[in-house]
Amino acid sequence: QVQLAESGGGLVQAGGSLRLSCAASGRTFSRYPMGWFRQAPGKEREFVAAISWDGGSIYYADSVKGRFTISRDNAKNTVYLQMNSLKPEDTAFYYCAAQYSPFTTAESLLRANNLYDSWGQGTQVTVSS
């Protein structure tokens, strides 16, 4: 497994922006797909975005497409989630996660949360109206 630590959450007004970071350690970061998920109170955890090991394949949930951008810096063992035009419905705990199978690129596999074996502690994002 890999150890993950998210940062960058906070309180922002609707229409604002935040940038989440997730620092990884413990295995060769550059080989593994990374994802961002979120969970709002009373709701199930949902997929937000995923990026393949080399950044060549990127996928988003429809609810965030065009507003959020996932990226990674393999030299820094870090994955990012830039969130723009935030809405109150984006309020949730945000988690980054790493898949256990290296070099995966297929969309169906990168969206599947059961294929992620390492999870961070999460960071709270609150968007006020």
Side-chain angles (χ1 to χ4, degrees), residues 34-46:
M34 297 294 294
W36 285 96
F37 294 78
R38 67 187 181 186
Q39 187 167 20
K43 295 187 177 181
E44 293 188 353
R45 186 166 56 193
E46 64 174 357

Side-chain angles (χ1 to χ4, degrees), residues 15-111:
S17 298
L18 284 174
R19 188 193 196 203
L20 305 184
S21 299
C22 174
S25 62
R27 71 181 179 198
T28 309
F29 174 80
S30 61
R31 297 179 183 177
Y32 297 89
M34 297 294 294
W36 285 96
F37 294 78
R38 67 187 181 186
Q39 187 167 20
K43 295 187 177 181
E44 293 188 353
R45 186 166 56 193
E46 64 174 357
F47 170 81
V48 174
I51 186 168
S52 61
W53 63 280
D54 61 349
S57 298
I58 290 175
Y59 308 105
Y60 297 99
D62 288 344
S63 58
V64 308
K65 199 173 295 182
R67 301 187 296 121
F68 290 11
T69 302
I70 188 172
S71 62
R72 67 189 297 161
D73 185 338
N74 286 343
K76 295 183 178 180
N77 286 0
T78 302
V79 62
Y80 305 97
L81 186 68
Q82 178 67 45
M83 305 185 294
N84 298 330
S85 302
L86 282 161
K87 304 175 181 180
E89 51 264 44
D90 294 318
T91 295
F93 233 82
Y94 283 71
Y95 300 89
C96 72
Q99 283 208 353
Y100 62 79
S101 180
F103 307 123
T104 303
T105 60
E107 180 173 2
S108 61
L109 298 181
L110 265 65
R111 288 179 178 268

